[in-house]
Amino acid sequence: MPTLGIDLGGTNARAAVVDEQGRILASAKVALTERSPMAVVEVIAQAAASAMAASGGAQVRGCGVGAAGQIHRDSGVIAVAPNLGWRNVPLGALLAERLGHSVRVVNDLAAAAWGELHAGAGRGATDVYVVFVGSGVGSCVIANNQLVRGAGGVAGELGHTKVIPNGRRCGCGELGCLEAYAGGHNLIAQAREVLLAGRSPGLAELTEGDPSRITPLTVERAAEAGDPAARELHERAGQMLGMAVANMVTVLNPARLIIGGGVLLNCPGIRRYVVEGVQALSSNTSREGLLIAEAELGDDSGLIGAALLGL
């Protein structure tokens, strides 16, 4: 019997009916017009109903949810979800009551990693480290075919390791996190600051002076064209990511490192910093036999992984 997978982002909720082999039978997406917990629950319920109808009325035996944020291990309570502005929201209980199914809530990167392990770039491996850099920086550890979740359920939060004491404020509310410098959203914010301060003629030319047109790829192109301010931001983000991921390879000794997310897949320069950082900075023994692979499932990894975890 298939399972329902939910991918909850900051702007949309996606739902899919997924079979035991990780194949999507049907899916649906509904935009979030409000971000209050009950409004989001209703949007998820709407997406789930649409996906099940599109599957021909398939019966599901449970539900898994991947959500961006820090999630308590067993309760399904979202401790912090910056994109939604949530703190301590019992999403698992709210959804179980609304959907009438058991619900398991995990971090979106845990869901994506589980999907890649079983149906994507992680097939055949048992010890995997997954890093996605998109609007934020997320990671997940799989050891001996098991998610490493930690005592409270928030293990593997690479984006919230500290890289500069008392540095930039992160969306999690803390200071100096890796995500505050290398996540796509914060990289754009830093680039807007230097553009508005008149310090980046390269960005000004590429965007025609419009801060809303800045993307991580814009920063990369300005950096490669020789703009000093853009190069500083680009190098700092790339070097921080490369060192952070290399250190995790040294600590974890995975067989496979899977990288993905919009920034790493669309910005080859930043991706190169990560790959070269791992090759240069992780310990020799930890990277023996290490395979670095790009995520294969794209936007579907979280849906598939959430559904399989919902089993």
Side-chain angles (χ1 to χ4, degrees):
M1 185 180 293
T3 312
L4 191 64
I6 307 293
D7 182 10
L8 177 59
T11 56
N12 298 287
R14 298 179 66 213
V17 179
V18 180
D19 69 14
E20 294 181 359
Q21 286 71 48
R23 295 175 297 206
I24 294 178
L25 306 180
S27 65
K29 179 171 72 174
V30 180
L32 300 178
T33 56
E34 295 182 44
R35 288 177 171 76
S36 69
M38 292 311 301
V40 170
V41 166
E42 288 304 315
V43 167
I44 292 173
Q46 181 182 347
S50 296
M52 288 189 286
S55 72
Q59 297 297 307
V60 297
R61 57 174 167 172
C63 176
V65 180
Q70 299 179 18
I71 298 161
H72 290 299
R73 175 171 179 160
D74 299 316
S75 65
V77 172
I78 298 182
V80 180
N83 290 341
L84 294 170
W86 286 2
R87 289 187 180 272
N88 299 315
V89 173
L91 182 64
L94 293 174
L95 270 178
E97 181 178 356
R98 177 65 178 83
L99 299 178
H101 295 292
S102 62
V103 175
R104 183 178 185 185
V105 182
V106 298
N107 173 268
D108 60 343
L109 252 295
W114 200 248
E116 290 290 341
L117 178 71
H118 289 280
R123 290 188 302 269
T126 60
D127 293 88
V128 177
Y129 184 52
V130 180
V131 179
F132 277 32
V133 183
S135 58
V137 178
S139 67
C140 180
V141 181
I142 296 172
N144 195 27
N145 267 331
Q146 299 291 320
L147 284 175
V148 177
R149 303 183 65 198
V154 295
E157 287 280 0
L158 180 68
H160 301 294
T161 57
K162 303 303 181 281
V163 291
I164 295 184
N166 299 313
R168 291 181 65 89
R169 187 169 297 279
C170 181
C172 71
E174 299 180 12
L175 301 176
C177 297
L178 174 63
E179 183 171 302
Y181 294 91
H185 178 76
N186 286 299
L187 185 58
I188 290 170
Q190 294 169 86
R192 286 177 176 172
E193 290 171 9
V194 298
L195 174 63
L196 293 173
R199 294 175 45 216
S200 180
L203 283 173
E205 180 178 353
L206 288 171
T207 64
E208 297 181 350
D210 182 358
S212 68
R213 295 177 60 181
I214 295 175
T215 68
L217 183 56
T218 309
V219 178
E220 179 159 299
R221 286 174 174 167
E224 291 174 344
D227 182 276
R231 186 169 61 243
E232 180 183 353
L233 296 178
H234 186 262
E235 287 182 354
R236 182 168 65 182
Q239 290 172 358
M240 284 180 172
L241 283 168
M243 182 172 290
V245 175
N247 285 337
M248 293 303 292
V249 168
T250 297
V251 170
L252 298 170
N253 184 209
R256 201 161 300 176
L257 168 64
I258 300 174
I259 58 177
V263 171
L264 290 184
L265 297 183
N266 296 321
C267 299
I270 292 180
R271 180 188 184 280
R272 188 163 53 248
Y273 272 115
V274 173
V275 173
E276 292 178 354
V278 170
Q279 293 168 342
L281 300 174
S282 59
S283 70
N284 291 333
T285 52
S286 70
R287 67 173 182 273
E288 287 179 4
L290 174 69
L291 174 64
I292 302 176
E294 288 188 0
E296 294 179 0
L297 300 178
D299 291 341
D300 291 336
S301 60
L303 280 174
I304 294 169
L308 294 176
L309 286 168
L311 294 173

